[in-house]
Amino acid sequence: MSDFDTLGLRPELNAALKEAGLTSPTPIQSQAIPLATEGHDILGLAQTGTGKTLAFGLPLISHLLDMPERPAAKTAKALILAPTRELVNQIAENLRAMTQKTKLRVTVVVGGQSINKQIHQLQRGTDVLVATPGRLIDLMDRRAVDLGQVRHLVLDEADQMLDMGFIHALRRIAPKLGTPRQTMLFSATMPKQMEELSRAYLTNPKKVQVSPPGKAADKITQSVHFLGNKADKQVKLREILSKDMDALTLVFSRTKHGAEKLMKGLVADGFNAASIHGNKSQGQRDRAIKAFRDGTITVLVATDVAARGIDIPGVEYVINYDLPDVPDNYVHRIGRTARAGREGEAIAFCTPDEADLLRQIEKLMKIAIPVGSGEPPTDPVARKPQPRGRGRGPAQAARPEGQKPKSKSRGRRRSRSRQAA
């Protein structure tokens, strides 16, 4: 008997868990599954890598197994929204592992793939529709999907959906959903806008929180290296990578251009590297992640937008080559290691113009990250991030991927969000 047997799941789900080698639920699963199985709306706060997918997926599947009738054409019984293609694919993969011996159908719709093929798949109807908001809106506009039969809604990584501007898409999608319905919202952080979102979409929710927002996994060893400039970063990165050439290492760059340039430089120096970012096609991103998962590629250079859905237990190192402009993203990034109960190491590089970004990260996490090498800058001026600029040129090119220019219209913002999905 496994610990999952005590959570009130259906026998076929317990059998699927055992077949997958899962015997003990994570804290978020132990708390959320019984409440969600009872039909409560759920507000779940947990860092990445804590097992959130099964926390909402298992009770969702259990409810759907109690609804044996086949879905009508173009309809879905449950809708799961996630901000990136990689995360959507990861969720669907986990759900299919749990439903492979049932008649439940899981359908994925994301940007970067043939919309005509997705229209054809939806024509049959589906039990679970896993989607990025942008592509779902496109399908709604083409009248290829009817959301009126949806009785279960899941918003996963909802904080990042807000960061990417998907709030407008959510406002269009929500009125089309069936009622009454169960809604589950999962997020790694709880900014003020997230509180407003939960009030708008959840009814008397049960709050489940397994770690304070901004707290990294206990099994992650962190360090920061203070460096003088970009050239020093390149030297330090190669020094670290050379110490363990076979270790799976995820390297974060702030921009798409920076990620691609860094990857090409590593390949030229003999490292087995690939990159994923918003300028890559979905096929290229999928192949890079598969090669990384298989160990064919050992260094994956990524941006924040592309990497949220990476769930690979074997990642040993996460290197923040560039510190993120948003402190919460640091927690998301380093959460790519130490997954599934393993240990991992998170290494950050900090140049003088990033000192204030580091200060904000440490303030959020309420810790001082141990120094790996170098000396923290003492000049107060050096602690201030350099201005990005507003005109055309290098400052504009350095805008982080996914960040929307303030001067654009709301319509343009929607368009950028759809492209990101």
Side-chain angles (χ1 to χ4, degrees), residues 225-233 350-354 374-375 386:
H225 295 264
F226 291 97
L227 304 166
N229 50 49
K230 280 277 188 180
D232 291 340
K233 283 187 177 184
C350 182
T351 51
D353 62 310
E354 295 175 302
E375 294 292 332
Q386 295 180 358

Side-chain angles (χ1 to χ4, degrees), residues 2 31 52 59 61 63 108 126 177 199 270 294 324 353 378:
S2 74
Q31 295 183 44
K52 287 184 289 183
I61 294 169
H63 286 304
V108 168
T126 188
L177 303 176
R199 287 196 295 269
D294 295 342
D353 62 310
T378 56

Side-chain angles (χ1 to χ4, degrees), residues 61-200:
I61 294 169
S62 186
H63 286 304
L64 293 177
L65 290 173
D66 290 331
M67 304 164 60
E69 65 277 6
R70 296 182 61 180
K74 299 184 180 181
T75 69
K77 296 179 182 179
L79 172 64
I80 301 175
L81 293 175
T84 67
R85 306 167 191 172
E86 284 73 25
L87 184 54
V88 165
N89 289 331
Q90 186 66 49
I91 292 170
E93 181 182 331
N94 288 336
L95 295 183
R96 284 169 178 156
M98 295 294 107
T99 59
Q100 59 182 342
K101 293 186 178 180
T102 73
K103 294 183 179 180
L104 296 182
R105 185 181 304 145
V106 178
T107 302
V108 168
V109 293
V110 297
Q113 295 182 354
S114 169
I115 194 169
N116 290 328
K117 182 178 179 180
Q118 293 171 358
I119 290 172
H120 177 71
Q121 291 174 330
L122 289 171
Q123 184 63 40
R124 302 168 57 200
T126 188
D127 295 284
V128 184
L129 179 60
V130 193
T132 50
R135 176 49 61 94
L136 182 59
I137 290 291
D138 290 339
L139 291 164
M140 291 168 58
D141 289 342
R142 297 184 184 215
R143 297 184 179 180
V145 60
D146 177 2
L147 301 177
Q149 300 303 311
V150 170
R151 291 295 184 269
H152 299 274
L153 171 66
V154 178
L155 304 177
D156 193 21
E157 302 286 8
D159 50 348
Q160 193 188 20
M161 276 198 274
L162 293 181
D163 290 342
M164 293 173 64
F166 284 130
I167 185 64
H168 307 294
L170 292 178
R171 287 172 179 160
R172 285 193 60 189
I173 293 168
K176 304 296 184 181
L177 303 176
T179 56
R181 65 176 178 269
Q182 179 188 40
T183 302
M184 293 183 273
L185 185 155
F186 284 81
S187 176
T189 60
M190 194 65 182
K192 182 178 179 180
Q193 195 176 13
M194 185 61 62
E195 295 178 4
E196 297 171 355
L197 186 71
S198 66
R199 287 196 295 269

Side-chain angles (χ1 to χ4, degrees), residues 231-293:
D232 291 340
K233 283 187 177 184
Q234 295 178 22
V235 173
K236 177 61 70 172
L237 177 63
R238 285 155 177 77
E239 174 189 320
I240 293 172
L241 293 177
S242 297
K243 291 180 180 178
D244 193 350
M245 296 285 285
D246 295 327
L248 294 186
T249 303
L250 184 56
V251 181
F252 280 98
S253 171
R254 185 178 295 118
T255 66
K256 294 177 282 190
H257 173 74
E260 191 67 11
K261 182 178 179 181
L262 180 57
M263 179 274 293
K264 290 180 178 179
L266 290 173
V267 171
D269 288 342
F271 293 95
N272 203 0
S275 64
I276 57 170
H277 50 71
N279 282 349
K280 296 282 189 179
S281 70
Q282 186 60 41
Q284 289 174 317
R285 287 157 70 164
D286 289 344
R287 287 191 293 273
I289 290 177
K290 183 180 184 300
F292 189 55
R293 184 187 301 275

